């Protein structure tokens, strides 16, 4: 007699079917593991945004750093710019040309400390964000969870430091634009028919401020995700059965 026939021994086949279903079932991923993976992805996105925003701040600040602007900055380009703006057709000759160059250099020196500090600050933070990205790629937060605590604390400090940095940035720029040098420079260029040399904050300065304000929010979100990631990693290490590649 065949003991595996369905009509003679149905309970044996039922046991075999249940065993097959149990062994072929895919293991479930725990909620903690999924949440930790989501935090890690969120942190990586925040770090990329932090690096990008600081790169944009660096670019906006470098506009003021790389050129004195006005008569001196334009004529330094040479070629057609020289003939249109810096030569006989510019309206600047003799004492006016020399005075325009002096005012350009003096105004550039007034703005130089502020834009230099902004470039150094944004460059350092961009490097910091890139190092955090590298650490995440090397799985440092998984092997050393305190890395996430350090990252969260640094994000909080940076987000808080952006507020006074923005205040001093625009305060020093306002002092430069309200100086006698800027006003005399503006009047001299207007007397020759040139516009665009007003003593007010320019587009590059506004762009740096806008990107810095956005960075405050991104660093704050990054801090929250770092602290949440630390909690999730600690729970996963306490329960090895819920481990997921982090």
């Amino acid at each position: 007699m065949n003991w595996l026939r369905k009509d003679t021994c149905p309970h044996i086949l039922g046991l075999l079917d249940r065993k097959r279903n149990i062994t072929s079932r895919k293991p479930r991923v725990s909620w903690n593991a999924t949440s930790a993976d989501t935090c890690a992805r969120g942190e990586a996105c925040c770090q990329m945004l932090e690096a990008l925003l600081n790169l944009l701040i660096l670019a906006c600040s470098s506009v003021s750093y790389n050129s004195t602007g006005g008569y001196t900055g334009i004529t330094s380009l040479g070629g057609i710019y020289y003939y249109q703006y810096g030569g006989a057709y510019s309206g600047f000759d003799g004492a006016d040309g020399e005075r325009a160059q002096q005012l350009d250099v003096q105004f550039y020196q007034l703005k130089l400390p502020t834009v230099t500090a902004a470039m150094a600050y944004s460059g350092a933070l961009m490097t910091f964000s890139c190092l955090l990205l590298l650490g995440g790629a090397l799985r440092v937060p998984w092997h050393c969870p305190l890395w996430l605590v350090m990252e969260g604390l640094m994000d909080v400090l940076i987000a808080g430091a952006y507020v006074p940095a923005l205040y001093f940035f625009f305060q020093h720029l306002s002092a430069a634009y309200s100086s006698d040098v800027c006003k005399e420079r503006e009047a001299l260029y207007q007397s020759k028919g040139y516009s665009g040399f007003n003593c007010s904050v320019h587009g590059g300065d506004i762009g740096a401020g806008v990107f810095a304000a956005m960075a405050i929010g991104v660093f704050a979100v990054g801090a929250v995700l770092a602290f949440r990631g630390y909690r999730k990693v600690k729970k996963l290490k306490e329960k090895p059965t819920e481990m997921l590649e982090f």
Side-chain angles (χ1 to χ4, degrees):
M1 181 182 292
N2 188 353
W3 296 100
L4 296 181
R5 287 181 56 188
K6 186 174 180 179
D7 55 346
T8 57
C9 193
H11 65 281
I12 296 179
L13 292 178
L15 291 175
L16 291 176
D17 290 339
R18 284 197 296 271
K19 184 177 180 181
R20 188 180 301 110
N21 291 334
I22 293 173
T23 56
S24 62
R25 185 181 302 167
K26 294 183 179 179
R28 291 182 179 179
V29 179
S30 70
W31 182 87
N32 285 334
T34 304
S35 181
D37 185 62
T38 302
C39 285
R41 294 175 186 273
E43 287 178 63
C45 292
C46 284
Q47 289 158 5
M48 286 188 288
L49 280 175
E50 291 163 6
L52 176 61
L53 289 172
N54 281 287
L55 177 62
L56 293 173
I57 295 171
L58 180 63
C60 291
S61 301
S62 65
V63 173
S64 297
Y65 180 83
N66 290 328
S67 175
T68 57
Y71 182 83
T72 305
I74 292 172
T75 56
S76 65
L77 296 174
I80 189 172
Y81 295 96
Y82 173 80
Y83 293 106
Q84 290 183 351
Y85 296 99
Y89 299 103
S90 67
F92 288 102
D93 54 358
D96 287 342
E98 293 178 1
R99 185 56 181 164
Q101 290 182 357
Q102 292 174 1
L103 292 173
D104 285 339
V105 173
Q106 290 174 10
F107 181 65
Y108 172 76
Q109 290 175 348
L110 287 175
K111 294 178 63 178
L112 184 60
T114 305
V115 296
T116 302
M119 291 176 64
Y121 187 75
S122 58
L125 292 182
M126 182 179 64
T127 304
F128 173 73
S129 300
C130 291
L131 288 176
L132 292 181
L133 276 171
L134 178 62
L138 297 176
R139 300 178 65 186
V140 175
W142 174 253
H143 298 292
C144 180
L146 288 178
W147 173 276
L148 292 170
V149 177
M150 180 273 296
E151 178 184 339
L153 292 175
M154 289 297 297
D155 285 345
V156 171
L157 290 174
I158 292 170
Y162 260 112
V163 177
L166 270 175
Y167 171 77
F168 287 113
F169 177 75
F170 284 106
Q171 184 187 45
H172 286 82
L173 283 181
S174 298
Y177 286 121
S178 61
S179 65
D180 294 335
V181 172
C182 183
K183 293 177 180 178
E184 183 181 354
R185 177 174 176 265
E186 179 184 7
L188 180 59
Y189 278 102
Q190 286 181 350
S191 66
K192 302 298 182 181
Y194 290 104
S195 59
F197 300 97
N198 300 328
C199 292
S200 59
V201 180
H202 293 175
D205 304 327
I206 296 174
V210 170
F211 294 134
M214 294 173 62
I216 294 175
V218 175
F219 274 102
V221 173
V224 174
L225 291 177
F227 289 130
R228 288 184 61 185
Y230 172 75
R231 291 171 54 192
K232 301 305 178 184
V233 170
K234 291 292 289 184
K235 288 182 180 180
L236 286 175
K237 283 184 171 290
E238 291 172 359
K239 298 179 180 179
T241 56
E242 296 183 359
M243 280 189 179
L244 181 69
E245 282 196 17
F246 192 67

